[in-house]
Amino acid sequence: MIIAGIDMGVQNTRAVIIKDNVVIGRGAAPTGGIDRPEMAMKAYEDALSAAGIAAGDVSKVYATGKGKFDVAFADAVLTETVAAARAARFYFPEATAVFSVGADETLAAALGRERLISEFVLNQKCSAGLGIFITYLARRLGMTMAQAAAVDVADACAVNDGCVVFAELDALSMMNSGEDADAIMAAAIKAVAVRAATVLCDLTAPVGDKVVLVGGFTQSPAFLKALSSCMGREFLVPDDAEFCGAVGAALAGAEAE
Amino acid sequence: MKGQIWETRPLECWNLAKEIRRSYDGAIAGKDKVLGQGMSSFTLDWASAFPAIRVVEDNPVGAMMAAQDEPFARKARLASEVRGWGREICGYHNNCWGAQFLGHTSDGNPFPEREFTVPFPCVCDSHIKRGQQCRDYKPIARWTNDFTMYIGERDEKREEAMLDHRNYNTLKMLNEMEIVFGQKLDDEMIYDMAKSYTNIGDIRSEIAYYMTFKPTPLTVKDMYSFFQLRPSPKMGPDVLAKFWESLRDEVKWRVENKIAAVGTERFRWLEAHPPPWHYLKYYRYMEQYGAVCLGSQYANLRELLIEPDGSYEVRSYTEPAFSADMELTTREDAVRFMTTPDARSPRHWKIEEYIEPYKLNDMMKIYNCDGALLGLWRAGVGCTLTRKEQAIRLREEGYSVMVYEGSQPGDRVDLDEKRLLEQLDTWMESLGFRKFED
């Protein structure tokens, strides 16, 4: 059976085609604004093209992500937590927890044996928009996202890690006092890592030693280093980390049928 | 209905409930009344026994404001905040106080001026401040209605002294009100109320017992509507008692015939505390998943006597303090008759967190529940004490628990409604449930 998953995030949309539990095609598009339904279709068509099949060959399409209700052609929608958890188990069958840090949402789930998810935590207002903040700050600092992802966080100074609004004010103060862009970005990434970590720490169930990290921030070595440093643990990052939402939606959706 | 498992039908006594409510609303309307701010509790609705003294509580006023007119509620909160009342104050207080500062309600009518206040202390943080705000606003009479709270070992002598204090306060207040406002308290009505309310207390306990059955004949959202019913001159305590008797009979019949409150019931849950009062619609949202809320420590704890080994019995409101048919011949008799069992009951559910931390676990078993929903409040924060620990205790026993953030009663500022619904979706989906409409 061939199934498809679409993960429409706040900034990026990913699509995958899965045949017999193997990902055979991937597609991506910026989520866009008012044209989100078209962007979902574009990512899907890219994935179909990469898989070398037509839409008619796909049995079911499952959507997840903040924009999941804009994927008009989806047969069903799934919550981001369920999709992330299912993907974590797909890539790492021994996974004990999943941790997703994206443009808007941060979520953590402890994975169980009898039930896939034994406990979950979604960020509340104060941890929303971490990825969007870094994107915005990079633009302001004249950096590309690749440059932002490569800064050295080892000796970064601290900015406010309670709220990105305050973090931004601290970053502006650093700009005004002549700090260089790399140092400002490093401080911001460190703050974002601390803020994201609070969500994982909010789980009361033991997270175990195999925590799978997914979401857009997996593409930032600087963030990975800052997160590992502040939490004192390493994370398992799938090769396909950016596509995990889509993979998980497809698998969990099909299993729920 | 899609996903229907059980036979269901509307409650027949809803019509009488609505009639009682309308009658009460009519009784507090009008310009000839002396209005006061404070607590006119279910167990001691003393104000109704005066010809023209009525209590306007902050709770329903503030909560209704948030539910019906959010722009006005925001304006009111701002008016309160700029005068120094912080966001940690219960949302419904801030709404209500702000309207008082603005001088009008959301429909443009003048805010009902209060001539007295009767605050009572409560660990949630701000009940006692209700009186302070009123007095700051305008010099008015103030009486205090104490609780008999003590979290140490049961000590009968201490309890007796605390009850004497409370009863003295209440009697003093009633006597002084007669002098200050020149109105005579109808003692016969107080006797009737004492009897009918204690009778209602026993009936509520029976109903709580019937709600342990599967499918439940009643949900907590129904109960919240009924809790708020108050007598009026036209529909007095006897009518209220009759209503509860008919509700009990109907609920019993529904249990015997497996008539469900929600035809799709397949997941039963409890909460530690109700949601923000303006947001009761989330019960209906959960019902789309077949998830039915049976109540909370807040709503149900007093109804059943739960022993340390988890066994329980339906609680009698009067026994063993008094005989239910005891003759009441003085005002003091009536006050003691009502306050004594109330003080000895486990109704001060917040204390449970300190002395019986596994009580919610016990309730989960008794009510045959599958999961629990616990709120963490940014306002009314005393209600949030030990919630996370409670979640751990529930998970230890294998229950699924969801924790969410918001602000307790009547305030939308810190409740992200969309976020909460996403969390509810995630909770249900993680347990393998889909909405029946999907």
Side-chain angles (χ1 to χ4, degrees):
Chain A
M1 185 172 74
I2 300 176
I3 51 178
I6 316 276
D7 176 9
M8 179 159 253
V10 166
Q11 287 191 322
N12 294 296
T13 299
R14 313 285 180 195
V16 295
I17 308 294
I18 296 176
K19 182 180 181 185
D20 301 331
N21 272 357
V22 176
V23 178
I24 58 169
R26 296 172 185 78
T31 293
I34 202 157
D35 55 347
R36 280 183 293 187
E38 290 79 22
M39 290 296 107
M41 182 55 79
K42 182 180 180 312
Y44 181 46
E45 284 172 349
D46 281 0
L48 288 170
S49 168
I53 60 170
D57 298 325
V58 177
S59 308
K60 287 274 175 77
V61 179
Y62 303 96
T64 188
K66 286 286 167 203
K68 55 184 174 280
F69 296 108
D70 286 324
V71 186
F73 53 91
D75 294 290
V77 296
L78 289 98
T79 58
E80 295 83 294
T81 311
V82 169
R86 184 62 189 88
R89 274 280 160 79
F90 175 72
Y91 288 104
F92 300 100
E94 298 304 312
T96 52
V98 64
F99 186 31
S100 173
V101 190
D104 174 59
E105 187 170 72
T106 303
L107 65 87
L111 306 183
R113 282 288 150 214
E114 288 175 16
R115 272 200 306 253
L116 176 62
I117 295 174
S118 59
E119 185 188 353
F120 70 92
V121 176
L122 306 188
N123 73 274
Q124 300 293 319
K125 283 179 177 177
C126 293
S127 305
L130 299 181
I132 293 169
F133 167 59
I134 293 298
T135 307
Y136 165 79
L137 188 62
R139 202 180 304 142
R140 186 143 193 172
L141 294 170
M143 302 172 87
T144 64
M145 287 307 287
Q147 287 170 324
V151 295
D152 182 5
V153 293
D155 298 316
C157 67
V159 293
N160 186 296
D161 55 34
C163 167
V164 294
V165 175
F166 297 136
E168 185 189 351
L169 288 174
D170 282 356
L172 285 174
S173 296
M174 291 174 76
M175 286 167 73
N176 291 340
S177 57
E179 291 279 352
D180 67 55
D182 279 15
I184 298 170
M185 180 55 76
I189 286 178
K190 192 172 166 184
V192 162
V194 171
R195 191 69 225 159
T198 62
V199 176
L200 184 60
C201 291
D202 223 13
L203 287 171
T204 58
V207 295
D209 58 352
K210 293 185 174 57
V211 182
V212 179
L213 183 67
V214 299
F217 266 106
T218 54
Q219 307 308 300
S220 168
F223 174 79
L224 293 176
K225 188 171 178 184
L227 185 68
S228 297
S229 168
C230 84
M231 297 208 73
R233 65 157 66 235
E234 296 300 318
F235 294 87
L236 301 170
V237 182
D239 292 338
D240 248 358
E242 277 189 289
F243 289 87
C244 276
V247 170
L251 295 175
E255 286 160 7
E257 292 288 335
Chain B
M1 184 204 299
K2 201 174 175 187
Q4 182 159 354
I5 304 166
W6 316 96
E7 185 183 344
T8 185
R9 62 176 71 175
L11 278 171
E12 286 177 12
C13 47
W14 266 118
N15 290 336
L16 180 55
K18 287 175 184 171
E19 218 179 308
I20 293 171
R21 179 74 207 183
R22 273 195 297 271
S23 177
Y24 177 77
D25 288 346
I28 62 168
K31 297 188 188 311
D32 58 333
K33 306 291 188 301
V34 175
L35 297 178
Q37 183 279 341
M39 193 67 180
S40 177
S41 75
F42 188 84
T43 50
L44 194 63
D45 196 5
W46 46 265
S48 296
F50 280 104
I53 291 179
R54 301 290 177 261
V55 166
V56 179
E57 292 180 61
D58 286 357
N59 308 19
V61 175
M64 279 192 279
M65 210 181 283
Q68 293 169 355
D69 192 345
E70 169 58 3
F72 179 75
R74 279 180 181 267
K75 218 183 275 181
R77 277 196 305 276
L78 184 62
S80 184
E81 284 188 32
V82 297
R83 286 165 176 82
W85 296 103
R87 286 188 173 191
E88 78 281 10
I89 300 288
C90 267
Y92 50 39
H93 295 175
N94 258 345
N95 287 349
C96 196
W97 298 352
Q100 179 157 336
F101 288 130
L102 292 172
H104 60 92
T105 54
S106 60
D107 57 10
N109 287 321
F111 187 87
E113 292 274 321
R114 274 89 71 98
E115 302 297 325
F116 66 89
T117 176
V118 190
F120 69 96
C122 193
V123 292
C124 91
D125 76 352
S126 53
H127 284 63
I128 199 71
K129 289 183 189 293
R130 299 177 189 190
Q132 187 187 334
Q133 189 268 356
C134 266
R135 282 290 296 267
D136 287 354
Y137 181 70
K138 184 177 148 189
I140 53 174
R142 170 179 168 145
W143 291 275
T144 297
N145 192 351
D146 273 348
F147 268 171
T148 44
M149 286 175 152
Y150 180 62
I151 63 171
E153 287 288 311
R154 178 83 180 266
D155 176 343
E156 303 231 346
K157 279 195 172 165
R158 177 191 294 270
E159 198 172 77
E160 205 174 309
M162 290 165 77
L163 277 167
D164 279 347
H165 169 70
R166 182 177 177 187
N167 291 328
Y168 171 77
N169 272 356
T170 308
L171 286 166
K172 184 171 178 285
M173 174 187 77
L174 296 176
N175 293 344
E176 289 181 358
M177 276 191 172
E178 287 186 320
I179 298 164
V180 171
F181 299 118
Q183 296 189 27
K184 179 82 181 82
L185 184 79
D186 183 345
D187 284 304
E188 292 298 325
M189 192 167 177
I190 284 276
Y191 303 160
D192 286 351
M193 266 192 234
K195 284 297 176 71
S196 67
Y197 279 25
T198 48
N199 181 28
I200 289 168
D202 285 356
I203 293 172
R204 274 176 55 169
S205 301
E206 281 184 73
I207 291 172
Y209 165 71
Y210 290 126
M211 287 172 73
T212 65
F213 286 84
K214 216 173 196 173
T216 184
L218 211 58
T219 73
V220 76
K221 74 176 189 308
D222 307 317
M223 291 301 275
Y224 282 142
S225 302
F226 303 142
F227 287 162
Q228 295 302 319
L229 294 178
R230 297 282 190 275
S232 68
K234 282 186 187 165
M235 304 185 88
D238 55 326
V239 178
L240 199 57
K242 266 185 203 152
F243 165 79
W244 280 93
E245 281 164 11
S246 64
L247 177 64
R248 185 261 325 273
D249 294 344
E250 192 176 346
V251 162
K252 182 171 181 285
W253 177 84
R254 288 166 78 100
V255 166
E256 288 164 356
N257 292 281
K258 285 198 175 297
I259 306 296
V262 178
T264 54
E265 176 187 319
R266 57 177 174 169
F267 181 85
R268 293 160 68 94
W269 58 284
L270 285 175
E271 52 195 347
H273 203 275
W277 284 118
H278 65 275
Y279 204 58
L280 299 182
K281 67 179 178 187
Y282 91 151
Y283 293 122
R284 289 216 184 276
Y285 189 81
M286 288 291 278
E287 286 170 12
Q288 293 176 37
Y289 286 98
V292 180
C293 184
L294 279 302
S296 62
Q297 279 170 289
Y298 179 91
N300 311 41
L301 188 58
R302 57 184 293 184
E303 325 292 10
L304 304 174
L305 274 178
I306 304 173
E307 299 296 335
D309 65 1
S311 63
Y312 72 98
E313 57 185 88
V314 176
R315 176 173 173 264
S316 166
Y317 194 77
T318 45
E319 305 288 350
F322 297 110
S323 164
D325 55 6
M326 168 187 169
E327 194 184 352
L328 306 178
T329 54
T330 66
R331 191 178 294 179
E332 182 173 349
D333 281 349
V335 169
R336 284 187 179 277
F337 189 78
M338 286 192 280
T339 59
T340 304
D342 184 42
R344 287 183 177 178
S345 83
R347 76 180 296 255
H348 305 308
W349 43 273
K350 289 158 190 166
I351 297 177
E352 302 298 321
E353 283 304 303
Y354 303 99
I355 58 177
E356 290 175 299
Y358 279 85
K359 197 61 96 180
L360 192 56
N361 291 48
D362 292 337
M363 288 177 66
M364 294 288 283
K365 289 184 199 109
I366 291 167
Y367 283 91
N368 293 302
C369 283
D370 309 292
L373 187 58
L374 311 179
L376 300 173
W377 310 128
R378 296 192 185 100
V381 290
C383 303
T384 297
L385 276 174
T386 74
R387 284 288 168 268
K388 294 286 273 187
E389 291 82 349
Q390 202 167 35
I392 293 171
R393 292 192 290 267
L394 289 165
R395 286 191 183 108
E396 278 171 1
E397 295 191 8
Y399 294 113
S400 176
V401 182
M402 192 193 105
V403 175
Y404 70 102
E405 291 180 27
S407 58
Q408 207 256 335
D411 187 342
R412 289 170 195 269
V413 171
D414 283 313
L415 177 71
D416 188 336
E417 294 184 8
K418 186 170 180 300
R419 193 68 172 150
L420 175 55
L421 296 184
E422 281 177 358
Q423 282 179 279
L424 294 176
D425 287 339
T426 303
W427 188 29
M428 290 292 97
E429 213 175 276
S430 72
L431 294 168
F433 297 119
R434 309 279 299 179
K435 278 184 200 164
F436 285 116
E437 65 183 29
D438 283 353

